[in-house]
Amino acid sequence: MTNPSTIMFPVRSAASANPRPADPLISLVVPCYNEEASIGLFMGEANRVLAGHRVEFVFVNDGSRDNTLVVLMTLAENDTRVRIVNFTRNFGKEAALTAGLDHTRGDVVIPMDADLQDPFETVLLFLDKWREGYDVVNGFRKDRATDTLAKRLTAKWFYSVFNTIADNPIPENVGDFRLLDARVVATLRALPER
Ligand code: UDP
Ligand code: MG
């Protein structure tokens, strides 16, 4: 279920003057499209790995056609750490993540897929790096062996094109699995681009 080949790696490492709270609130932002079967497993992993940490969950239901919204609402009724952003139709993962970010209150924000493809333990490694002073910690795929050839080639093409035109290149095989300090999230929220 988890991918042991995913490890964390810090980039753009400005040692931060930002003081770190001893017991930070961790915001997990989880875009969900037809994830009714994943959410319970996701919460199980979160509660297991992050026991003793302060966590809030911002689930974004991206116009699911299954019972994702009902599952989330039931969860939220019984767990005050859970909040829901609901889209009435499917806008795609990027829009869901952006909306979710706008609703976080944490000291650190970590977008995560609902399907547990990123190992939860990595969150603890992200936190260690954040405590060292990094405001952004990117996860990257150590190998893409589990991807199809087509996906690997598409990814390679994406990074080469993006990094040719972008002022701030992103390292290859970095996805959305990362830690963002609240200050970074505030900056992202202020950007006009969507
Ligand atoms: N997702 C979403 N809207 C979409 C497609 C996906 O919110 O239109 C969510 C999905 O539920 C999951 C995450 O985005 O939590 C990643 O989706 P998926 O695993 O399908 O993408 P991949 O891992 O292949 O990039
Ligand atoms: Mg996935």
Side-chain angles (χ1 to χ4, degrees):
M1 190 176 308
T2 57
N3 176 0
S5 66
T6 307
I7 63 164
M8 46 65 59
F9 186 73
V11 296
R12 267 186 251 158
S13 49
S16 171
N18 200 12
R20 303 309 200 203
D23 189 16
L25 178 64
I26 303 165
S27 298
L28 301 181
V29 179
V30 192
C32 294
Y33 182 63
N34 298 341
E35 297 285 5
E36 64 179 12
S38 306
I39 292 160
L41 296 169
F42 182 93
M43 289 303 291
E45 276 295 280
N47 287 327
R48 181 180 70 78
V49 176
L50 300 178
H53 289 81
R54 293 167 59 223
V55 186
E56 70 165 9
F57 299 86
V58 178
F59 286 100
V60 184
N61 176 41
D62 185 17
S64 297
R65 293 166 178 276
D66 69 355
N67 282 318
T68 292
L69 182 58
V70 174
V71 171
L72 290 176
M73 285 171 69
T74 306
L75 191 62
E77 268 172 34
N78 299 299
D79 190 334
T80 55
R81 303 171 303 167
V82 174
R83 279 180 297 128
I84 305 167
V85 176
N86 187 48
F87 288 174
T88 52
R89 69 168 174 83
N90 180 248
F91 284 92
K93 178 183 175 179
E94 296 308 318
L97 275 178
T98 304
L101 278 187
D102 285 345
H103 288 84
T104 58
R105 303 166 180 162
D107 300 298
V108 300
V109 175
I110 303 175
M112 286 188 81
D113 289 2
D115 59 10
L116 296 176
Q117 80 173 54
D118 302 312
F120 238 102
E121 280 76 7
T122 310
V123 169
L124 301 175
L125 301 177
F126 285 169
L127 276 176
D128 287 343
K129 285 291 161 192
W130 175 78
R131 286 205 177 87
E132 285 175 22
Y134 297 100
D135 288 334
V136 178
V137 188
N138 284 332
F140 80 109
R141 300 279 299 276
K142 195 174 164 195
D143 72 66
R144 304 191 71 103
T146 56
D147 285 352
T148 62
L149 177 63
K151 177 138 185 179
R152 271 181 275 152
L153 290 176
T154 314
K156 196 135 195 76
W157 175 84
F158 168 79
Y159 290 112
S160 80
V161 172
F162 184 91
N163 288 341
T164 304
I165 58 177
D167 292 334
N168 292 301
I170 46 176
E172 274 196 39
N173 294 340
V174 167
D176 292 309
F177 188 36
R178 56 167 55 90
L179 175 148
L180 303 170
D181 182 83
R183 292 191 311 177
V184 177
V185 174
T187 305
L188 288 174
R189 278 184 193 153
L191 291 175
E193 294 100 349
R194 280 312 195 211

